[in-house]
Amino acid sequence: MVLIYALGAASVLVPAVLIPVAATRWAPAAQRSRAADRLRVAVAGLTGALGRNGAALVVLLAGSAAVVTVCWPLGEALSRLEPSVDHPVFDYVHARRVDGWAEVNSFVTALGDRYPLKWVTVVAAVGFAIAWRHRRWWIPLIALPMQFVVEQYTQQILAVTVNRGHPPTDVGTYPSGGCARVMLTFGVIAVLAGLTWNVSRRGRIAIATALAVLVSVEGYTRIYAEKHWLTDVLGGWIFGALLLGVLVLTVLVAEGRVRPPARSVHVAPVEATTTA
C-alpha cells in the first residue's frame, strides 16, 4: 500500500527534478545539433517555396504521419508486454485500492477527458486571439482547436491499427488519450504564452516543469482509476510528446520563428589550371 502512495509522490517529484536538468543540460545541446540545423534549413526551404502558411500545413501533415509511423510499431511492441506487465500491475493496484484515494484520482484524472479540455481550448483560443489582435491573431484561434482535432484522430488511428485490449474496468486503450490531451492542450497554451509575453528562461523552465508534472500525475491517476493499462500510459506520454513537438513546430513556422542557422561559409580556393 505504501508503494502506491510512493509512486504517486514520484509522479510529482521525478518530473519536477528531471525537467529543469534536461532544460539546462540537454536542451541547449539539442538546439545546437546538426539535426536541428538541418530541420531549420528544410523549414526555411519550405517557407520560401510555399510561404509560412503552406509550410506550416506541410509540417503538420508530415509530422502527424511520422508520429503515427513511429507509434504504430511502438504500440505493437507494448502490446506484447500486456501479460507480463499490464496484468500484474493492474491486479496489484486493484487489490489495494482505497475508496477515498480512488475518488481523488477519479476526480483528478477527469482533467484529461475531452469535455473539460474542450472548454479550456475554446477559452484559451479566444483569449490569445484577443491578445494577438495586432499581429497574426488567427494563429491561436486555429492552433488550439487544431491540436484537439489532430490528437483525437491520430489517437483513433493508432487505437484501430494496434487493436489491443483494455482493462476489464474501462475501455481505455493504446495510447492513453487523456495523457496526450493534457500534454497537447496545455503545451500549446504554454508555447502561445511564451510567444505572447516576454517570459524569462527560468519562467519557461518552470512552465515546462509544471506541464510535465501535470502529465505525469494524469498518467498515475489513469492507472489508479483503472482506465488504462500501464503501457497505454507510457505510450500516451511518448505519443503526446511527439505530437506536441509537431504542433509547436507548426505554430513557430506559421509565426515565422524558424530561421536557417547563421553559418559562415568558407569556400576553399580553386587553383587555376592550364592546358598545354
Side-chain angles (χ1 to χ4, degrees):
M1 190 66 207
V2 176
L3 178 60
I4 291 178
Y5 294 123
L7 291 173
S11 69
V12 176
L13 295 176
V14 170
V17 173
L18 183 61
I19 296 303
V21 172
T24 54
R25 294 187 180 181
W26 304 332
Q31 290 175 351
R32 296 190 298 266
S33 66
R34 282 190 174 184
D37 284 349
R38 288 171 180 170
L39 179 61
R40 293 186 187 101
V41 171
V43 169
L46 277 175
T47 304
L50 304 175
R52 289 188 198 176
N53 299 338
L57 180 60
V58 171
V59 168
L60 177 64
L61 295 177
S64 299
V67 170
V68 172
T69 302
V70 170
C71 291
W72 183 355
L74 174 65
E76 297 292 350
L78 291 175
S79 296
R80 296 188 178 92
L81 299 177
E82 185 176 323
S84 60
V85 174
D86 290 324
H87 286 281
V89 170
F90 178 87
D91 293 340
Y92 181 88
V93 172
H94 184 75
R96 292 162 178 81
R97 277 169 58 89
V98 176
D99 290 341
W101 189 234
E103 290 176 3
V104 171
N105 278 266
S106 296
F107 175 80
V108 173
T109 202
L111 176 64
D113 292 344
R114 286 194 171 92
Y115 181 76
L117 287 179
K118 282 181 181 178
W119 287 106
V120 172
T121 298
V122 170
V123 172
V126 173
F128 279 113
I130 294 172
W132 285 35
R133 61 187 179 277
H134 299 305
R135 54 201 287 194
R136 294 162 70 87
W137 57 269
W138 49 267
I139 290 179
L141 206 58
I142 293 177
L144 277 160
M146 181 182 296
Q147 62 81 22
F148 197 90
V149 173
V150 169
E151 184 282 327
Q152 180 175 351
Y153 285 102
T154 51
Q155 192 263 349
Q156 288 179 352
I157 289 171
L158 289 170
V160 171
T161 52
V162 175
N163 193 26
R164 65 171 301 181
H166 55 79
T169 49
D170 208 295
V171 295
T173 187
Y174 170 88
S176 171
C179 294
R181 282 188 294 272
V182 169
M183 186 177 295
L184 289 167
T185 301
F186 292 102
V188 172
I189 288 174
V191 170
L192 291 173
L195 294 173
T196 304
W197 299 288
N198 186 20
V199 182
S200 67
R201 186 170 182 272
R202 288 186 178 181
R204 294 195 298 270
I205 293 175
I207 291 172
T209 302
L211 175 63
V213 169
L214 194 62
V215 174
S216 179
V217 169
E218 177 67 20
Y220 173 83
T221 59
R222 289 272 153 172
I223 295 169
Y224 195 88
E226 299 182 334
K227 290 181 172 293
H228 278 286
W229 300 122
L230 170 62
T231 54
D232 291 341
V233 170
L234 297 177
W237 285 341
I238 296 171
F239 165 67
L242 293 175
L243 200 55
L244 177 60
V246 171
L247 287 160
V248 169
L249 182 59
T250 300
V251 171
L252 295 177
V253 171
E255 178 65 2
R257 298 298 183 103
V258 182
R259 299 180 179 89
R263 293 286 188 271
S264 58
V265 180
H266 301 284
V267 180
V270 179
E271 296 182 359
T273 59
T274 58
T275 56

